[in-house]
Amino acid sequence: MCGIAGFTSKTPVDRPTEKLQGMIDMMSHRGPDAEGIFEDELVHLGHRRLSILDLTEVGNQPIQDHSGRYTMVFNGEIYNYQEIKTELKDYPFKGTGDTEMILAAYRAWGPDCLQKFNGMFALAIWDEVEQSLFIARDRLGIKPFYYARTGEDMVFASEIRSIIRSGLIPPEIDPLSLQEYLQYYSVNSPRTILKNVFQLKAGHFGVWKGGHFHQESFWEIADTRENTQNLDEVKKEVRAKLMAAVARRMISDVPLGAFLSGGIDSSAIVALMAEASSQPVHTFSVVFQEKEFDESAFSRMIAKKYRTAHHPILLRPEDFLHELEPALEAMDHPTGDGINSYVVSQATKREGFTVALSGLGGDELFAGYPVFQQYKKFKQAQSLYQVPLGLRKLGSQAAGTLVAKHKVARLQELMTVPNAQFEHLYPVFRKLFGPAEIEQLTGSYAKDFTLGRIFEPETLRKIDQLPIYSQVSVGEISTYTQNVLLRDTDQMSMAHSLEVRVPFFDHELVEYVMGIPDVLKHPSFPKQLLVESLGELLPHEVVHRKKMGFVFPWPIWMKNELKEMCEQSIARLAERDLMKGDTVKSFWQAFLSDDPQVIWMKLWMLVILDQWMLRNGI
């Protein structure tokens, strides 16, 4: 796990070494163990290293193949690198890690090598002979890769702040991305909050050569085959694939542990880690003094059952307030979430661990969120969308009187979308600010906000052919999960030089689960298919416990301890050209007056945006 950065210089760049050094200095937290740069006439590559595999200097980067033709910077882990090495018998390996294997594989197979990799990765390879730069990002978008075009050239990095630090592009907020940020908690790939700064899409690679840049897909989540196995066969295969995913992610030359909340997903990961390891698994759990929110009884139950070396981390709500400022400093892209990840990662690193496995992804694959059932209800109501739009609008107004006030807009939008296709139906479930509110704030609303901005038309067609629950999985993984949860996990854990691995997002497991029909995946209790696939591994008390989770009193804090900070942010935001100042202020006053339609998260998203812009000089 590391930080990478670089740029091309077909057009000469002033003080390139200074710029490159500044870019990697901005990511020192991502790699405190070593740094390195490589410079040629047309390319400049930089690297910060967090040593996980092969702790010797042989693993330092940038790294060249034995011929000197290829030079690479790489961030991530390739879990099956030892298997791939057996196919590269003619290559004179010097080290024992995965980085050198990537170069050997690219030398042997070119871009096709990506099909062999099982892992999380973002990489850039310079070809001295072809004078070309090859870049790639893993299938599920676990590792970040940001880039910007600068005329005929390009600049890239693991973090946006490094691109800003390069001075090669003027940092400006993108008006369309701002609307997307307000609507969906974040900005979906390939866009970012900044104009002309993009994310390389998950499962894609790109090639820069001679001032021209193109990118292609090497994997698509919607490309899946229908699973025709019976239930017993499916359960057996789910367990086997998840076991393999966990075992792969336990390869490490540094101390390794696991986050354990006491819920189904993290408990499943810990149970399988214990099965795969001959040594006690180290587990980390956040515990609270407030008994009505504390889940420590369940995490202790799992720790005792699997004889883990358990590390309970006592946190008070005030601890999160205390760490708010450094967490905001660590935020590389504005997001409404992430503070929790910062505090838990900090505590884990303090215990001396560099790698931790997480249960992130179980909900997305095994229908663990309410949105799965909600989407299915509307998807199956095909007759509703055959009613003329005018009549549906009247019906939505009537239905709006039957539900809670803050849910009216969503219900009405669900009833009036053009049809029940994924492209139109799914995005409604993930909206924070509604179209009318966005127009009030910004003065306009991009009515073409559809998933067509994320997926190609052919991909959308494939998604509509998937089982209904798998359609939601695609939506969750490709939007909120990638652009909020995974991004927050990366930026907040790497702020403490901690690598987090996510077995549920092993692409072989994902491909298999996506093809399972709804009739086998439908849960009569939480994540039933996952639970039954694991047999007796999970205690009944963990599976069927009442859903808990500490809800931090953000609305109270924003009106008390954080009020001054929030008011300063709102005032600054009102003075910027991004939004209508009077409307921003009126939203704040409505929140202070306990207007039920102005929930705290909407105001927090505005505060976060200002804080991020302030810290990045925008």
Side-chain angles (χ1 to χ4, degrees), residues 417-561:
V417 295
N419 53 54
Q421 290 180 344
F422 170 81
E423 176 182 6
H424 302 294
L425 195 60
Y426 172 76
V428 181
F429 291 98
R430 271 298 176 195
K431 290 184 177 179
L432 179 61
F433 283 91
E437 292 174 313
I438 292 174
E439 191 161 0
Q440 282 180 308
L441 281 168
T442 66
S444 64
Y445 177 71
K447 299 186 185 300
D448 63 341
F449 261 173
T450 68
L451 293 182
R453 292 178 54 187
I454 303 172
F455 300 106
E456 297 295 329
E458 177 60 20
T459 302
L460 288 170
R461 187 192 67 77
K462 292 177 183 177
I463 294 171
D464 275 314
Q465 303 304 311
L466 292 173
I468 291 176
Y469 287 149
S470 294
Q471 292 178 30
V472 182
S473 291
V474 170
E476 291 293 293
I477 292 171
S478 303
T479 59
Y480 183 76
T481 303
Q482 279 185 12
N483 299 292
V484 178
L485 299 182
L486 285 172
R487 177 152 55 192
D488 287 350
T489 297
D490 176 82
Q491 63 188 9
M492 294 306 183
S493 63
M494 290 306 295
H496 303 291
S497 304
L498 177 74
E499 174 177 295
V500 176
R501 299 175 176 179
V502 282
F504 279 111
F505 284 150
D506 183 285
H507 75 273
E508 294 179 10
L509 174 65
V510 171
E511 289 171 347
Y512 182 81
V513 175
M514 291 293 292
I516 298 174
D518 291 335
V519 67
L520 300 185
K521 204 184 292 182
H522 180 77
S524 58
F525 58 83
K527 286 166 277 195
Q528 181 177 353
L529 177 59
L530 172 61
V531 171
E532 293 183 346
S533 297
L534 297 178
E536 300 301 315
L537 289 184
L538 301 182
H540 180 275
E541 295 88 342
V542 168
V543 173
H544 298 283
R545 68 186 178 93
K546 181 181 178 182
K547 189 171 180 62
M548 299 173 68
F550 190 86
V551 180
F552 295 97
W554 290 106
I556 297 174
W557 287 342
M558 290 170 68
K559 294 174 183 178
N560 294 279
E561 292 93 335

Side-chain angles (χ1 to χ4, degrees), residues 179-367:
Q179 293 190 23
E180 191 167 3
Y181 169 80
L182 295 173
Q183 193 161 47
Y184 296 119
Y185 299 83
S186 189
V187 183
N188 290 311
S189 175
R191 290 181 179 270
T192 70
I193 194 69
L194 291 183
K195 187 182 295 183
N196 299 323
V197 178
F198 302 95
Q199 299 180 71
L200 182 63
K201 293 175 71 173
H204 279 64
F205 70 84
V207 177
W208 177 93
K209 183 176 182 179
H212 301 284
F213 177 69
H214 77 274
Q215 54 183 304
E216 300 177 25
S217 168
F218 70 88
W219 185 84
E220 194 171 89
I221 192 171
D223 284 339
T224 187
R225 291 178 295 178
E226 181 181 358
N227 193 316
T228 59
Q229 293 177 308
N230 62 42
L231 181 58
D232 288 339
E233 292 171 329
V234 165
K235 290 177 184 177
K236 183 178 179 180
E237 197 68 21
V238 165
R239 175 165 177 159
K241 288 188 179 299
L242 184 56
M243 179 74 249
V246 168
R248 289 189 190 107
R249 284 156 182 80
M250 293 182 69
I251 299 172
S252 174
D253 293 332
V254 295
L256 175 148
F259 296 146
L260 177 60
S261 69
I264 291 173
D265 301 334
S266 64
S267 298
I269 298 302
V270 169
L272 292 173
M273 288 177 72
E275 194 171 287
S277 176
S278 59
Q279 301 296 321
V281 175
H282 286 265
T283 51
F284 299 87
S285 298
V286 171
V287 300
F288 298 103
Q289 292 175 331
E290 296 80 1
K291 296 303 180 184
E292 65 270 31
F293 301 114
D294 184 41
E295 299 178 288
S296 61
F298 302 104
S299 57
R300 282 199 309 268
M301 183 183 299
I302 295 297
K304 182 178 180 181
K305 180 178 176 67
Y306 293 104
R307 299 178 181 179
T308 74
H310 194 49
H311 306 259
I313 303 166
L314 177 64
L315 291 177
R316 302 165 301 163
E318 293 76 14
D319 295 326
F320 287 79
L321 276 177
H322 180 72
E323 296 298 336
L324 181 59
E325 278 294 323
L328 290 173
E329 288 289 343
M331 191 175 291
D332 184 54
H333 189 284
T335 171
D337 209 341
I339 309 300
N340 297 9
S341 299
Y342 180 90
V343 176
V344 174
S345 297
Q346 180 185 62
T348 304
K349 186 66 176 183
R350 281 176 178 169
E351 293 289 335
F353 286 76
T354 305
V355 179
L357 271 64
S358 165
L360 178 61
D363 285 312
E364 288 81 352
L365 285 183
F366 294 97

